[in-house]
């Protein structure tokens, strides 16, 4: 397995381009299943998770071509040949469950493996299931699979989610576009990825109002047509690279980044003493002289502080002046990076869903590894500030969500290289 070696201590300077959002793209791709006509996505990120979703869609009968080196995804689902998402694919990537809503809407049936637990938490599917049941689906769990049927097709419904789940909102939104009648769903997720999905579905002819608020209204239509849609910029990749010059020192401009999508995060950086500016090219970040200050952070659904930036924020706070308190409210097991950061000299105490981080002046390089994507990148960031060499193992996690990580950080002056096995 490949590993990445980071040699810390070099301030960064230069531009880092921000790709299209992984989590937007993973929800947009299954939208192809809703129409017989082609759907093309531009500004797609080049990631192994996208390859996994392509394989899943092909197994259902879609044609998927990655063009322009993977930046354009051309899909066509003229005729579907299967309605089953197999365990072998779903266990690799939870987002595979996003074919459930579209398959039910178009084919009136779907068999989708339950993903099982993952490194950051149990992650059940009950909210997806209740939303689709409210629209008339009958769903049964058998042999580890959800067997769903919608006799006579899905029907518009009025329901509230018990928690604003991102995936459940995406599944229900796609399903409702082809349901008979009007669906009003409340307490839904407001993430920018939902807004991007609604924009794409609207370009395909769907009738949707209210995305980005906690209530979305969808008026079902008989069919959706083809469209071309540009994937929104990745706010989590942006936040990750905004932290790089804060941790290593220096100044970086994240090209194409949108500050309006990371407001809660940017506010915390500002409180810590970081200078941030939206320019016409992207987002410029500079660490003023000296160490940043401790800040307290609690993750929350959008527009709150994103759980997907919690690990990276912790890496930054490891060298801040003072003690910070981090609270993780979305996933029950998302501090797996803490013991690894501790191996690099960080002072972190974890008690259930909260962590106290007391900043030290300098971290020290060490061999480390992580169990999920965001935890892995937090170790890379920490390595930028550490004395000596940090070797991050199991980098396949990084390849799932960060396109050309070494080239992007290396281009801004970081000493980083991949060791291929
Ligand atoms: N939940 C339930 N029941 C459900 C669905 C969710 O209890 O039916 C719980 C989950 O267990 C979790 C919480 O609700 O504790 C939030 O889960 P959500 O459904 O909102 O997350 P998701 O759709 O599975 C997406 C992102 C994650 C990101 C979360 C939260 C994709 C492909 N994944 O997951 O991204 O952390 O939203 O913002 O969009 C990542 O990119 O590293 C990543 C993990």
């Amino acid at each position: 397995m490949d590993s990445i070696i980071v040699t810390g201590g070099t301030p960064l300077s230069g531009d880092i381009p921000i790709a299209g959002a992984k989590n937007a793209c993973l929800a947009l791709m299954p939208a192809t299943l809703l129409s017989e006509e082609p759907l093309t996505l531009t500004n797609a990120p080049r990631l192994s998770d996208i390859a996994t979703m392509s394989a899943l869609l092909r197994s259902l009968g879609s044609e998927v071509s990655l063009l322009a080196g993977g930046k354009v995804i051309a899909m066509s689902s003229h005729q579907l040949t299967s309605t089953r998402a197999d365990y072998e694919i779903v266990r690799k990537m939870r987002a595979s469950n996003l074919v459930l809503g579209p398959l039910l809407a178009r084919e009136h049936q779907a068999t989708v493996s339950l993903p099982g637990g993952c490194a950051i938490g149990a992650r059940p599917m009950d909210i997806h299931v209740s939303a689709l049941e409210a629209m008339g689906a009958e769903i049964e769990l058998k042999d580890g699979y959800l067997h769903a049927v919608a006799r006579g097709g899905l029907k518009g419904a009025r329901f509230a989610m018990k928690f604003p789940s991102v995936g459940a909102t995406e599944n229900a939104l796609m399903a409702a576009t082809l349901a008979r009648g009007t669906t009003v769903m409340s307490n839904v997720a407001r993430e920018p990825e939902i807004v991007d999905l609604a924009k794409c579905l609207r370009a395909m002819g769907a009738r949707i109002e209210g995305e980005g608020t906690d209530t979305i209204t969808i008026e079902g239509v008989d069919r959706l047509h083809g469209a071309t849609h540009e994937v929104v910029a990745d706010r989590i990749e942006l936040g990750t690279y905004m932290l790089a010059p804060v941790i290593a020192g220096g100044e970086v401009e994240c090209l194409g980044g949108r500050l309006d999508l990371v407001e809660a995060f940017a506010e915390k950086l500002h409180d810590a003493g970081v200078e941030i500016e939206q320019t016409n090219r992207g987002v410029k970040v500079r660490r003023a002289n000296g160490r940043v200050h401790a800040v307290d952070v609690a993750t929350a659904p959008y527009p709150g502080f994103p759980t997907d930036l919690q690990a990276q924020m912790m890496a930054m706070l490891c060298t801040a002046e003072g003690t910070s308190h981090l609270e993780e409210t979305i996933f029950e097991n998302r501090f797996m990076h803490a013991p690894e950061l501790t191996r690099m000299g960080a002072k972190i105490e974890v008690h259930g869903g909260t962590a106290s981080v007391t900043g030290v002046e300098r971290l020290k390089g060490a061999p480390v590894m992580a169990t999920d994507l965001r935890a892995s990148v937090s170790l890379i960031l920490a390595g930028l500030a550490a004395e000596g060499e940090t070797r991050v193992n199991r980098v396949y996690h990084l390849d799932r969500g960060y396109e050309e990580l070494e080239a992007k950080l290396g281009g801004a002056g970081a000493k980083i290289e991949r060791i291929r096995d």
Side-chain angles (χ1 to χ4, degrees):
M1 235 176 272
D2 293 1
S3 50
I4 286 184
I5 295 186
V6 187
T7 308
T10 316
L12 303 185
S13 142
D15 297 338
I16 299 184
I18 300 303
K22 166 182 83 91
N23 288 348
C25 201
L26 289 175
L28 290 161
M29 290 176 73
T32 181
L33 300 170
L34 292 165
S35 173
E36 291 175 10
E37 295 180 19
L39 174 64
T40 301
L41 301 175
T42 60
N43 194 37
R46 289 164 287 182
L47 302 168
S48 63
D49 269 8
I50 300 300
T52 305
M53 183 58 87
S54 304
L56 172 59
L57 293 173
R58 286 189 194 112
S59 78
L60 302 174
S62 306
E63 287 166 30
V64 183
S65 312
L66 303 182
L67 310 173
K71 280 188 107 45
V72 174
I73 306 176
M75 295 172 291
S76 174
S77 305
H78 184 65
Q79 202 172 6
L80 299 180
T81 52
S82 164
T83 53
R84 180 183 166 93
D86 211 73
Y87 176 65
E88 282 313 306
I89 288 195
V90 182
R91 77 180 169 85
K92 273 201 232 157
M93 187 183 72
R94 283 187 52 89
S96 307
N97 64 32
L98 293 174
V99 301
L100 176 60
L103 284 175
L104 255 182
R106 165 120 170 242
E107 300 291 296
H108 303 177
Q109 60 175 14
T111 306
V112 175
S113 169
L114 272 186
C118 75
I120 59 177
R123 306 182 78 178
M125 292 273 296
D126 55 323
I127 307 174
H128 302 241
V129 168
S130 334
L132 296 167
E133 281 178 344
M135 286 187 250
E138 289 165 34
I139 303 181
E140 197 191 357
L141 174 64
K142 213 169 61 191
D143 309 326
Y145 283 78
L146 293 173
H147 295 258
V149 284
R151 293 175 216 286
L154 291 169
K155 296 186 283 285
R158 185 178 277 270
F159 58 90
M161 291 190 181
K162 72 168 190 194
F163 177 85
S165 153
V166 174
T169 303
E170 291 164 344
N171 250 329
L173 175 60
M174 287 190 273
T177 58
L178 292 179
R180 243 177 311 119
T182 303
T183 299
V184 182
M185 42 190 204
S186 53
N187 198 31
V188 296
R190 298 165 57 183
E191 269 69 1
E193 293 74 26
I194 309 280
V195 174
D196 204 40
L197 176 61
K199 194 173 163 197
C200 174
L201 292 170
R202 206 178 286 119
M204 294 169 74
R207 301 176 73 171
I208 302 169
E209 270 175 33
E211 74 276 12
T213 74
D214 67 358
T215 304
I216 304 183
T217 304
I218 306 111
E219 213 181 295
V221 294
D222 288 340
R223 55 184 297 280
L224 294 180
H225 52 71
T228 295
H229 173 81
E230 181 182 339
V231 180
V232 67
D234 196 318
R235 65 195 168 101
I236 306 301
E237 191 193 26
L238 169 66
T240 303
Y241 290 132
M242 283 172 72
L243 286 170
V246 179
I247 290 174
E251 179 174 303
V252 159
E253 192 161 6
C254 298
L255 303 183
R258 280 181 52 184
L259 201 50
D260 62 314
L261 302 184
V262 288
E263 274 178 5
F265 166 75
E267 207 171 290
K268 290 294 175 187
L269 286 194
H270 178 78
D271 293 349
V274 179
E275 290 173 22
I276 305 169
E277 186 193 342
Q278 175 84 56
T279 65
N280 53 15
R281 302 167 72 220
V283 178
K284 198 185 266 185
V285 183
R286 192 169 82 91
R287 189 181 77 193
N289 288 337
R291 287 162 70 186
V292 292
H293 317 296
V295 285
D296 293 341
V297 170
T299 62
Y302 193 83
F305 190 100
T307 172
D308 289 345
L309 285 172
Q310 177 261 110
Q312 302 90 312
M313 189 72 175
M314 184 186 277
M316 178 197 105
L317 295 173
C318 287
T319 52
E321 231 171 309
T323 299
S324 309
H325 302 281
L326 282 171
E327 191 186 351
E328 173 56 59
T329 70
I330 308 293
F331 292 108
E332 65 273 23
N333 190 24
R334 215 177 191 180
F335 284 136
M336 300 293 278
H337 39 286
E340 299 296 312
L341 290 167
T342 304
R343 300 187 63 244
M344 298 174 69
K347 285 196 183 151
I348 305 170
E349 279 177 38
V350 175
H351 300 286
T354 59
S356 311
V357 185
T358 301
V360 295
E361 218 151 299
R362 202 78 210 261
L363 294 173
K364 294 203 167 56
V368 286
M369 68 178 180
T371 41
D372 81 273
L373 168 61
R374 310 303 173 185
S376 301
V377 85
S378 79
L379 301 174
I380 301 271
L381 290 177
L384 295 174
E387 222 172 275
E389 240 179 53
T390 298
R391 186 184 187 119
V392 181
N393 295 308
R394 287 202 192 166
V395 296
Y396 66 89
H397 287 299
L398 288 167
D399 297 331
R400 292 185 58 179
Y402 289 92
E403 127 186 332
E404 295 172 359
L405 176 100
E406 312 93 272
K408 288 191 184 186
L409 282 172
K415 290 196 179 134
I416 178 166
E417 65 172 320
R418 178 181 291 245
I419 309 293
R420 294 194 188 273
D421 228 15

